Amino acid sequence: MENKTQTNFGLMPNEPRQGGFGPKTDKAWSQEPYHHAAAGWGATMSVGKVVMRTMEPYRGTRAMLTMNHPCVGFDCPGCAWPNDPDGIMLDICENGIKHATTEMTSKRTTPEFFSKHTVAELSKWTDFDLENEGRLTDPMSYNPETDKYETISWDDAYKMIAEELNGLDNPNQAAFYTSGRLSNEATYVYQAFTRDYGTNNQPDCSNMCHEATGRALNASIATGVGTVDLRDWRQTDALFVVGANSASNTPRMLTELAHIKKHGGKLVHVNPLREAASTKTIVPHEFINMATFNATDISGLDLQVRLSGDMALFRGIAKCVFEADAAGVEGAIDYDFIDKYSQAFQDYRKLVEETSWDYIMEQSGLTEEEIREAGQIYLDADKAIIAWCLGLAQQEFAVDAIREIMNVLLLRGNIGRPGAGPSPIRGHSNVQGNRTVGINHHPEESFLVALDKELGITSPRERGKGTVDTCIGMMTGDIKVFIGMGGNFTMAAPDTAFTAEGMSKCNLTVQVSTKLNRSHLTHGKKALILPCLARSEYDKQAAGKQMVSTEDSMSWIQLGAGKNRPASKNLRSEVAIICEMAMATLPNSPVNWQAFKDDYDVIRDSMSRVITGFENFNENVKQKRGFRRPQPARERRFLTPSGKAEFSLAPLQNVIPEAEGALSLQTMRSHDQWNTTIYTNNDRYRGVKNIREMIFMNKRDMKMRGLESGDLVDIKATAKDGSVREVKAFRVIGYDISRGCTAGYMPELNALIGVSDMSHQSEQPLMKSLHVHVTKHA
Ligand SMILES: Nc1nc2c(c(=O)[nH]1)N[C@H]1C(S)=C(S)[C@@H](COP(=O)(O)OP(=O)(O)OC[C@H]3O[C@@H](n4cnc5c(=O)[nH]c(N)nc54)[C@H](O)[C@@H]3O)O[C@H]1N2
Ligand SMILES: Nc1nc2c(c(=O)[nH]1)N[C@H]1C(S)=C(S)[C@@H](COP(=O)(O)OP(=O)(O)OC[C@H]3O[C@@H](n4cnc5c(=O)[nH]c(N)nc54)[C@H](O)[C@@H]3O)O[C@H]1N2
Ligand SMILES: [Mo]
């Protein structure tokens, strides 16, 4: 079979496109250091532009005022940062507003639009242009004869899905993807449907995001999530922020950084790049400061580790703690905690002692002095929190690295007491809730037992396929039906051309979406686009207006409801679409899908009998601020096999590319994008304008290669299996980034990530640790 290239699917143009997948541009690109504070007026102006472009100033403003007000408004569809537990009124941020207002656009992608454009033609559009057509209005079905999407009734669409699913030899030939936007209620019925149908093939965006976090924390302390919340943040003495670009990706976190600093707490930023959140900010709530450009200092110790050098840094911090203990510093190690609650402490001490400073320095890319400074900050703090995001979770040895962070926290009993603990920062607004309520391709037996008992079904026990295995399965023919609840699988997954080709081989692809994206164009032989309500819109079912819940990064679960009129009369809610799919596909199901669809309280009651911590769910979630999910580890009950918190004993692996001239490459987000949705070609805090097809490189590394800022380069990535992928004619830009490291944007650079190039610890694709060669464009 012919091996398709990027160009076949319009994934990468033949000609270099400076704006990448963003808007086309011939404006001059530029990059210069950004000297202003993060947030503040730059943010305000940028919001204004997006609101004007989507032509929704009124609805945008109204949305802003009700967003993140539990029970009154809806949860911001942006990131998973928690709402203010003490109730500051305007708990919103620039990127959340942008996100919500683009959802509320008045533009529509109608059947008339589809009648005017073939898929072949749309494939040549940029991803920006596709989404910029606005909200999808009607169910559409692909017609291979015309190469166009045509209208289909909802009933006929469900019939097609049922026929294809029931026509498979085995339910494991279907895969059911979830993007982290789905509410708890929709997620719960979705996972129940796929298990009633007969498969655990539940790839989700977590497989690319925080899978490593869940695995590491479970192994160490028997919980998949962080143990702190914002009240802990507000009383901590030291906060480590590792591998997160909070000014762009969780802007509301800036408020907390400022708060910690103001109260005398210490901040340590660990990042190969100097990101905006490590300097100064204007707290979005403080309007007087905004008006007077009065920035708050949020600087701290900045540690520019090499890519994946974090584990070595934390090993070094552990060394400092052990050294202080040996020197007789009282309380350096919390022996009460160690004795009572932990396992394998002495083995860990030995391991740390055996790791040399030289190796730690080499692997972290930091000096001993820098690491000792961080160690001292850690030792001086009675209460410490370590927070991390993708810079850590997407590493090859991420599970080991996160467990090393846990080791460091355990040494000083920094868990299960106020102001202390691990604090992973989640991405999508409900990605954490998706896991809590059952999306998992390797579910726990206890969950399946409870689910089966509640619903009268027999869930499959066989491990399902995650994201990478789904990509491979589509290519090998093991997966024949792909159903995507939200998201943009083709562009989010690794190895774009491979994934696109796999999708095109499926018998049926179904995308439940709000906007047109490339996953609709890299479709199966049969293909459906099913348009759904967005979170900002009201959802009316038989029992009246419905509310849905989400869980934030810090385990708070809240209820919300949209207020806006749906973008089209022909939209259905995600819950309704899933229940209707289930009823069409499984006519003999013991589950009362109709009751779930009619009244989401019924779903919540069912969840309360299945999910630990969800007892009295309907009642608890309807409290003014919702509730925090109970979590044994927060109370120092560690439900690991040993009943104790487990020190991990992983050796420090080499993270430096061995091939001559090879550099490490990480793929990250710009300020003006939401994953695969790109708003503009700018990246404000990194000072980048009008360009996305670029990589940052340390100036000394450029000099060694005879490169100057602005030169066109080709980037070749070598996967672990030896296969090579290449993108051409990107610009290289000199930047303050650690030696040997480069950085560019996802999803443009996903083309470089081999599909099988994943972490053997987490099954996550190596999105932050590619090995590349960069040469002048030939
Ligand atoms: N505006 C906006 N907000 C978002 C998103 C968005 O696309 N746009 N996406 C959402 C989602 S789904 C997620 S998961 C989160 C992602 O939030 P982030 O994790 O902040 O996302 P990235 O842009 O991938 O940035 C990774 C950061 O880690 C650093 N980094 C890379 N490699 C390493 C390393 O080896 N060590 C260390 N210490 N640092 C490293 C990078 O320099 C960068 O600062 O954001 C969420 N919020
Ligand atoms: N190279 C590289 N690749 C990455 C990453 C990286 O750092 N580097 N990050 C990974 C991470 S952390 C993540 S989370 C994934 C993101 O992967 P996804 O979640 O799959 O991608 P998104 O771009 O968030 O999805 C955008 C689409 O979602 C649909 N959508 C928006 N709102 C709704 C809604 O309310 N309901 C429904 N049904 N659909 C909606 C719209 O049609 C829109 O086009 O990408 C991963 N890919
Ligand atoms: Mo994510």
Side-chain angles (χ1 to χ4, degrees):
M1 165 124 198
E2 179 206 3
N3 201 5
K4 298 216 171 91
T5 63
Q6 303 268 357
T7 330
N8 289 69
F9 296 102
L11 301 172
M12 193 64 85
N14 285 321
E15 292 302 313
R17 199 158 60 190
Q18 175 185 321
F21 301 158
K24 279 201 183 122
T25 181
D26 46 20
K27 282 196 202 147
W29 66 273
S30 62
Q31 193 278 323
E32 48 197 48
Y34 184 83
H35 292 299
H36 315 286
W41 289 112
T44 314
M45 296 297 288
S46 167
V47 167
K49 277 187 205 153
V50 174
V51 173
M52 290 318 287
R53 193 181 71 217
T54 52
M55 296 177 288
E56 284 303 301
Y58 169 66
R59 293 221 287 188
T61 320
R62 210 172 57 142
M64 256 162 49
L65 297 175
T66 58
M67 207 155 71
N68 291 335
H69 282 255
C71 300
V72 191
F74 62 99
D75 185 41
C76 175
C79 78
W81 188 254
N83 295 335
D84 183 348
D86 300 320
I88 291 177
M89 287 311 288
L90 266 173
D91 202 10
I92 49 178
C93 78
E94 173 199 3
N95 276 342
I97 297 168
K98 271 196 246 169
H99 210 61
T101 49
T102 43
E103 182 173 290
M104 293 172 211
T105 176
S106 52
K107 297 184 189 169
R108 297 290 178 267
T109 314
T110 58
E112 292 70 53
F113 168 84
F114 284 107
S115 71
K116 286 192 205 131
H117 305 283
T118 61
V119 167
E121 185 208 331
L122 291 173
S123 297
K124 298 199 183 99
W125 291 27
T126 74
D127 299 68
F128 172 86
D129 287 334
L130 294 174
E131 288 219 18
N132 200 31
E133 284 301 313
R135 292 285 301 279
L136 294 159
T137 60
D138 294 86
M140 306 299 299
S141 164
Y142 179 69
N143 180 348
E145 275 161 31
T146 55
D147 189 34
K148 286 178 182 169
Y149 274 100
E150 295 168 0
T151 46
I152 183 171
S153 70
W154 281 99
D155 282 348
D156 286 345
Y158 295 134
K159 224 162 109 193
M160 185 189 291
I161 295 170
E163 270 168 21
E164 289 296 331
L165 285 176
N166 290 326
L168 295 176
D169 302 336
N170 174 336
N172 290 328
Q173 291 176 332
F176 298 83
Y177 177 66
T178 321
S179 157
R181 300 280 292 263
L182 214 57
S183 67
N184 287 330
E185 288 72 7
T187 310
Y188 178 76
V189 289
Y190 189 50
Q191 60 83 29
F193 163 49
T194 81
R195 295 194 165 115
D196 189 9
Y197 168 68
T199 185
N200 284 316
N201 286 346
Q202 296 181 350
D204 67 344
C205 70
S206 253
N207 297 150
M208 300 178 265
C209 193
H210 270 291
E211 181 81 36
T213 298
R215 293 189 187 190
L217 292 181
N218 262 312
S220 292
I221 53 170
T223 180
V225 300
T227 63
V228 299
D229 67 15
L230 277 190
R231 292 203 168 111
D232 294 304
W233 275 58
R234 289 177 186 178
Q235 53 183 298
T236 196
D237 301 318
L239 172 74
F240 287 68
V241 183
V242 187
N245 175 18
S246 45
S248 295
N249 294 334
T250 35
R252 286 182 292 149
M253 189 170 135
L254 298 178
T255 311
E256 305 303 325
L257 299 185
H259 185 92
I260 292 171
K261 196 78 203 274
K262 216 169 172 174
H263 291 84
K266 289 273 185 339
L267 299 174
V268 180
H269 301 276
V270 184
N271 203 308
L273 272 68
R274 267 176 167 268
E275 298 283 35
S278 72
T279 50
K280 51 192 174 164
T281 187
I282 292 177
V283 175
H285 307 138
E286 295 177 350
F287 289 106
I288 296 189
N289 281 350
M290 255 170 97
T292 52
F293 292 91
N294 188 3
T296 310
D297 175 16
I298 50 169
S299 62
L301 177 61
D302 241 310
L303 296 176
Q304 278 185 285
V305 279
R306 79 160 70 250
L307 283 168
S308 298
D310 307 82
M311 180 164 169
L313 162 66
F314 283 98
R315 181 66 53 91
I317 293 176
K319 240 175 146 54
C320 297
V321 174
F322 282 116
E323 284 175 15
D325 179 61
V329 175
E330 204 173 322
I333 290 179
D334 181 348
Y335 281 107
D336 287 344
F337 177 86
I338 297 293
D339 295 343
K340 204 160 162 198
Y341 298 109
S342 80
Q343 171 89 351
F345 168 75
Q346 291 299 352
D347 296 332
Y348 180 60
R349 181 199 293 263
K350 188 158 168 278
L351 180 74
V352 173
E353 279 165 5
E354 282 168 7
T355 319
S356 73
W357 274 112
D358 281 349
Y359 191 53
I360 287 174
M361 284 191 291
E362 180 197 42
Q363 290 298 319
S364 64
L366 300 169
T367 63
E368 189 177 326
E369 290 67 47
E370 285 173 312
I371 299 176
R372 285 194 182 280
E373 200 178 339
Q376 200 53 51
I377 290 175
Y378 183 61
L379 277 161
D380 288 344
D382 281 336
K383 299 164 272 181
I385 289 177
I386 304 182
W388 66 91
C389 200
L390 297 184
L392 198 63
Q394 290 181 335
Q395 294 176 12
E396 179 168 7
F397 305 107
V399 174
D400 288 348
I402 295 165
R403 292 201 66 187
E404 191 71 15
I405 283 183
M406 273 316 306
N407 288 347
V408 167
L409 288 171
L410 294 179
L411 285 179
R412 293 178 46 74
N414 271 317
I415 181 163
R417 60 187 174 92
S423 187
I425 301 159
R426 303 278 161 167
H428 268 301
S429 53
N430 197 39
V431 63
Q432 186 163 317
N434 293 164
R435 275 292 163 97
T436 302
V437 306
I439 287 294
N440 201 333
H441 65 281
H442 47 97
E444 299 259 352
E445 177 64 18
S446 55
F447 175 80
L448 297 181
V449 169
L451 185 72
D452 289 359
K453 179 161 172 255
E454 163 68 13
L455 299 180
I457 62 175
T458 310
S459 296
R461 265 37 186 191
E462 199 180 328
R463 192 185 170 91
K465 284 184 169 37
T467 292
V468 166
D469 285 339
T470 297
C471 296
I472 295 171
M474 292 191 298
M475 192 64 133
T476 56
D478 291 336
I479 296 290
K480 296 185 189 308
V481 174
F482 175 92
I483 297 185
M485 282 308 294
N488 185 358
F489 191 79
T490 302
M491 301 312 282
D495 221 342
T496 320
F498 182 95
T499 302
E501 187 175 349
M503 284 272 231
S504 74
K505 289 183 166 188
C506 287
N507 294 346
L508 171 69
T509 50
V510 180
Q511 307 285 350
V512 178
S513 312
T514 51
K515 301 241 189 117
L516 185 61
N517 65 43
R518 195 155 309 272
S519 296
H520 305 130
L521 310 179
T522 56
H523 55 78
K525 290 171 198 130
K526 288 183 185 167
L528 293 168
I529 303 175
L530 303 180
C532 66
L533 293 174
R535 205 178 278 169
S536 51
E537 292 163 345
Y538 63 73
D539 175 0
K540 201 158 173 237
Q541 303 296 338
K545 280 202 184 156
Q546 301 297 318
M547 299 181 102
V548 291
S549 63
T550 51
E551 175 176 336
D552 66 33
S553 256
M554 299 190 187
S555 302
W556 279 82
I557 304 177
Q558 296 176 328
L559 208 55
K563 291 247 185 317
N564 289 339
R565 195 173 338 116
S568 140
K569 281 197 202 115
N570 211 3
L571 302 185
R572 295 200 178 168
S573 80
E574 285 155 336
V575 170
I577 294 170
I578 297 161
C579 291
E580 284 160 359
M581 268 196 297
M583 286 187 274
T585 309
L586 307 169
N588 302 320
S589 168
V591 182
N592 190 344
W593 300 104
Q594 186 69 45
F596 281 162
K597 180 188 143 187
D598 288 349
D599 183 354
Y600 301 175
D601 273 350
V602 178
I603 304 178
R604 284 185 285 271
D605 280 338
S606 178
M607 289 158 97
S608 73
R609 291 183 289 269
V610 172
I611 301 158
T612 320
F614 274 49
E615 297 78 14
N616 300 322
F617 186 36
N618 261 311
E619 207 176 298
N620 285 338
V621 82
K622 283 174 188 159
Q623 298 171 73
K624 193 157 170 245
R625 301 217 163 269
F627 71 107
R628 190 181 197 283
R629 194 150 66 79
Q631 188 183 28
R634 192 171 153 87
E635 280 124 44
R636 296 194 163 178
R637 287 193 298 121
F638 302 110
L639 307 179
T640 56
S642 67
K644 304 228 164 139
E646 304 267 354
F647 277 96
S648 94
L649 303 171
L652 259 192
Q653 308 267 3
N654 173 45
V655 296
I656 305 169
E658 277 161 13
E660 204 182 327
L663 296 156
S664 302
L665 170 78
Q666 59 135 329
T667 58
M668 59 188 186
R669 292 146 177 76
S670 74
H671 182 72
D672 259 0
Q673 75 181 82
W674 179 273
N675 298 336
T676 68
T677 301
I678 291 149
Y679 303 123
T680 74
N681 298 324
N682 303 337
D683 190 1
R684 185 183 328 125
Y685 302 134
R686 298 185 185 120
V688 174
K689 287 205 178 122
N690 300 317
I691 186 164
R692 288 188 55 86
E693 290 197 347
M694 67 98 216
I695 54 167
F696 288 140
M697 197 187 284
N698 185 293
K699 287 199 174 121
R700 281 184 288 169
D701 289 325
M702 286 172 59
K703 203 164 168 212
M704 276 172 63
R705 288 166 179 74
L707 297 170
E708 307 250 344
S709 254
D711 278 355
L712 287 173
V713 293
D714 298 338
I715 310 165
K716 220 181 241 181
T718 309
K720 283 196 277 182
D721 64 6
S723 58
V724 174
R725 287 161 189 76
E726 190 171 24
V727 294
K728 286 177 179 285
F730 275 51
R731 296 215 183 254
V732 64
I733 297 176
Y735 198 77
D736 187 2
I737 180 173
S738 39
R739 284 298 301 276
C741 302
T742 56
Y745 298 127
M746 60 92 61
E748 281 82 351
L749 291 174
N750 290 30
L752 290 178
I753 309 173
V755 75
S756 57
D757 224 12
M758 59 177 179
S759 158
H760 63 278
Q761 307 189 330
S762 65
E763 298 171 64
Q764 283 189 228
L766 300 184
M767 291 165 163
K768 295 280 187 284
S769 40
L770 295 171
H771 292 184
V772 298
H773 282 91
V774 179
T775 49
K776 233 180 208 163
H777 175 52

